[in-house]
Amino acid sequence: MVGLVLFAGVAIVVLPRLAADEDGVVGTDGLTLEIGGIRITAPPGVAPEGTRLNARIADAAPSVGAGAVPGPVGAGITLDLDGGLQPARPVSITFPSTETYSVRTPAEVTQPDDRAPFVLTQPSDGSPPELLPARWDPVARTVSVDVTHFSSFWEKLTTARRMMEQAVGELNGSTARPDCAGRDVELGDGGRLTIDGPAGGSAWACLRADDRHYYVDLTNNSPEPWDMRAAPDAVLQPQRPTGVADSVAIRLAELTWAGRSGAPGVLPTGGTASYAFPLGSAPGTVRLTADPGTLLVSQTLFAVDVVASVFGVTMLQRMLELPEAVDCLSSVAEATGSRGLDPAAAARVVRATLDCIGPFMARMGMDSPVVAVITAILGSGIGLIVAGVAAIVDTVAGPFRIVVRSSGRPTVITDLAPVDGSGRPADGWTVRDEGAAIDCGYTSPAGRDPGVQTCGPAAAAADACWAEPGGTTALCLRSAFDTVLYRHPASNLSSPRPSGVPVSPLSLELDDGTRCELRNGGSWPGRADDETLYGAYSCSPDDSTVVWGSPKGDIARTTDRWAVQIGGTTGPLRTRGVRQAWYVRTG
């Protein structure tokens, strides 16, 4: 049976009341319903006249998303309009409450244990449950909220501490030990790479290698991020963040340390990082240093993200796309550095981080009431963030060093002396006359003493020559793999000047048997992918394979097992060990 009731002078259509549901029809002046003591007040224009509003007592509140925030949950209601419509104007829901709140609205929170009124809602579109800031009337003992969508709603009491403890509590860096942690790596040339470092106390470290590089793969095993530095010639590989905290820490590190030496980076909490080293550069070192500054900033931002997500707001990733905000956060983290955590100073860092965020919330389209609530909750929980970070730092030691060493058969270094001090061939060497004249005058880049000269033109391949008696001819050795000396008419043989280049072997034999000869002038093509590389040696069988030198040199000699990079002018380069190297000297 349908009745007509006057309420404050307004005619309202009311359907018969049922125990667990109530329906009403939107009239000219809106609609008011009450079910289980919960009052729904809809203003005029909330929906087309004649639209039916359906109200029923809600099932149990969800326990995920905002529903997982600790705190008692009161009565609930589910609302919908016929035809799947949503209200065109805000609708007020008023819950009778048996709770006692510390503040009238969440925006008034100043202490982490202030009991604040909220309404938990489960959006009808299937998105995660979220909280809506509500109003507490201590006289009427009701909690009210204005909603712009219809779904399910429950009264919810919680505190800043409960939200913040959830955020801090999620900072857990412990990770499972990878199978590769601490294992050696066998190299193709018979060598071996070994790794020494912390046994999981701060990070797990794994080794791998390809033809050109070896890699140190790190996994954080502590709740604190680590500043990283690596040498020599290390390159930090692109990092793939797995969460908000990772993104924050990595982005801050990129901005703070851009252009600095030592390939700096950050190993975020629960995150990973990888360094690449040239294969011949062992020993390589990665140094991990505790970073309370980045931890404070990133943990504050993590707390911001967790608290904002409770209200259905996704803001942090969007904020990290604003250069001004990121610059501000980077400055805060860098100013903090790796100094110890004095509680007062740490609180200032957290406050400075929140100050960086505040001005950008409105720019991202966030509602002012929600911004005010998030700001109040975070401001009241500064001490919780500081205490949580301090507890983490107190349990973490450091710094740590991870060292990769190379072992294998040492390169055999041989000095050839095909010509004696008087300029005559040594026993076992034969001489072949060549008619082409050569011009000398500089010490040989392959010579161990100044009596060995280099001569041109390049076509003569006269890298290592000795003046014969009389000073008009020279004996030249083209390759360590031959016992023939070539006699050339020669000029400028007296008092050779220093060539000004580092001494390098005349010939090399690589670990796979490839034979390579030192470059003697001429025009060699370079590599389009790296203009700093130059051809240092040509290799058998057809000279299309080249040992490529760089500004750091042509041979990596940091260990007893030398290494070179070989390849053509295009395509990948490969790192090979040097089995034997031959220099020349005077006998």
Side-chain angles (χ1 to χ4, degrees):
M1 178 178 179
V2 178
L4 186 64
V5 179
L6 287 177
F7 179 77
V10 177
I12 300 174
V13 178
V14 179
L15 297 181
R17 179 171 177 168
L18 302 176
D21 57 51
E22 191 79 35
D23 295 348
V25 176
V26 176
T28 304
D29 298 311
L31 173 68
T32 296
L33 284 178
E34 187 172 315
I35 176 172
I38 304 172
R39 179 180 291 269
I40 302 98
T41 304
V46 69
E49 292 183 36
T51 302
R52 185 179 296 273
L53 185 152
N54 308 296
R56 58 189 180 276
I57 298 298
D59 295 331
S63 58
V64 297
V69 177
V73 178
I77 188 171
T78 299
L79 303 176
D80 62 75
L81 290 167
D82 282 352
L85 296 176
Q86 290 293 344
R89 299 183 63 188
V91 173
S92 176
I93 306 173
T94 301
F95 297 86
S97 179
T98 60
E99 301 291 348
T100 299
Y101 293 90
S102 308
V103 293
R104 290 176 179 266
T105 69
E108 298 173 3
V109 167
T110 59
Q111 301 299 320
D113 292 315
D114 283 345
R115 298 160 60 89
F118 296 95
V119 167
L120 174 66
T121 180
Q122 172 65 74
S124 57
D125 62 4
S127 55
E130 60 191 59
L131 291 184
L132 304 175
R135 303 178 298 276
W136 160 244
D137 185 336
V139 177
R141 298 194 65 80
T142 58
V143 170
S144 302
V145 68
D146 296 332
V147 301
T148 56
H149 73 283
F150 279 170
S151 58
S152 297
F153 306 90
W154 297 263
E155 177 196 3
K156 172 81 173 184
L157 181 154
T158 192
T159 67
R161 181 182 297 276
R162 287 167 174 166
M163 293 186 193
M164 301 294 287
E165 284 179 342
Q166 182 190 31
V168 175
E170 293 192 24
L171 190 68
N172 184 347
S174 179
T175 54
R177 177 189 174 97
D179 291 340
C180 59
R183 290 187 177 179
D184 298 348
V185 170
E186 298 286 346
L187 301 177
D189 63 356
R192 176 188 295 268
L193 293 174
T194 60
I195 187 165
D196 297 318
S202 57
W204 302 111
C206 292
L207 271 177
R208 55 190 172 91
D210 58 25
D211 283 340
R212 297 184 63 184
H213 298 92
Y214 67 88
Y215 302 85
V216 177
D217 299 326
L218 301 169
T219 302
N220 198 339
N221 190 43
S222 82
E224 180 166 2
W226 297 93
D227 284 353
M228 303 184 298
R229 300 289 192 278
D233 304 325
V235 176
L236 179 62
Q237 303 300 286
Q239 291 175 270
R240 298 178 177 84
T242 58
V244 173
D246 280 23
S247 298
V248 170
I250 291 169
R251 183 65 176 141
L252 290 178
E254 290 174 345
L255 288 168
T256 303
W257 298 320
R260 299 190 184 180
S261 61
V266 66
L267 183 60
T269 301
T272 60
S274 182
Y275 278 104
F277 297 80
L279 199 54
S281 66
T285 301
V286 180
R287 181 180 175 87
L288 303 180
T289 306
D291 186 358
T294 294
L295 178 60
L296 270 172
V297 174
S298 61
Q299 185 59 13
T300 301
L301 295 179
F302 185 38
V304 170
D305 193 65
V306 169
V307 171
S309 69
V310 166
F311 297 96
V313 175
T314 302
M315 57 166 284
L316 199 52
Q317 291 286 12
R318 294 165 57 199
M319 191 189 70
L320 292 177
E321 297 173 359
L322 299 174
E324 310 97 305
V326 177
D327 287 345
C328 182
L329 294 169
S330 176
S331 297
V332 173
E334 186 173 21
T336 306
S338 58
R339 298 189 301 270
L341 277 181
D342 170 76
R348 289 194 293 271
V349 172
V350 176
R351 173 60 67 187
T353 303
L354 296 177
D355 289 344
C356 286
I357 298 171
F360 300 100
M361 291 186 182
R363 286 180 54 182
M364 292 185 292
M366 295 173 58
D367 293 336
S368 295
V370 175
V371 171
V373 171
I374 293 174
T375 301
I377 290 172
L378 292 168
S380 71
I382 289 177
L384 300 177
I385 297 175
V386 171
V389 171
I392 291 168
V393 173
D394 288 344
T395 64
V396 177
F400 298 100
R401 292 174 73 244
I402 298 166
V403 181
V404 178
R405 294 181 173 85
S406 176
S407 61
R409 293 184 296 273
T411 296
V412 177
I413 301 172
T414 302
D415 282 350
L416 294 176
V419 177
D420 64 23
S422 65
R424 292 178 173 81
D427 292 342
W429 296 84
T430 59
V431 175
R432 182 178 302 169
D433 289 328
E434 290 282 344
I438 57 175
D439 182 47
C440 306
Y442 289 92
T443 57
S444 170
R448 296 275 209 175
D449 64 65
V452 188
Q453 302 187 41
T454 183
C455 307
D463 288 323
C465 300
W466 290 260
E468 286 193 287
T472 59
T473 58
L475 298 175
C476 300
L477 178 64
R478 295 179 179 176
S479 171
F481 304 110
D482 195 354
T483 58
V484 176
L485 294 169
Y486 296 86
R487 177 180 286 122
H488 292 265
S491 58
N492 295 318
L493 285 171
S494 62
S495 302
R497 289 167 290 176
S499 63
V501 298
V503 177
S504 295
L506 178 68
S507 303
L508 303 174
E509 183 178 69
L510 307 185
D511 51 30
D512 60 356
T514 298
R515 294 180 171 184
C516 303
E517 305 291 353
L518 183 66
R519 175 179 180 176
N520 179 260
S523 176
W524 288 27
R527 286 183 61 92
D529 59 351
D530 189 343
E531 295 181 353
T532 67
L533 298 181
Y534 61 88
Y537 290 80
S538 61
C539 303
S540 60
D542 57 6
D543 294 338
S544 63
T545 300
V546 174
V547 169
W548 293 93
S550 73
K552 296 182 180 296
D554 48 14
I555 302 173
R557 315 181 200 200
T558 55
T559 68
D560 290 341
R561 183 70 168 181
W562 294 359
V564 294
Q565 290 193 80
I566 68 169
T569 55
T570 59
L573 296 181
R574 304 179 305 281
T575 299
R576 291 296 183 204
V578 178
R579 182 180 297 163
Q580 189 166 0
W582 289 266
Y583 292 93
V584 291
R585 62 178 177 81
T586 303

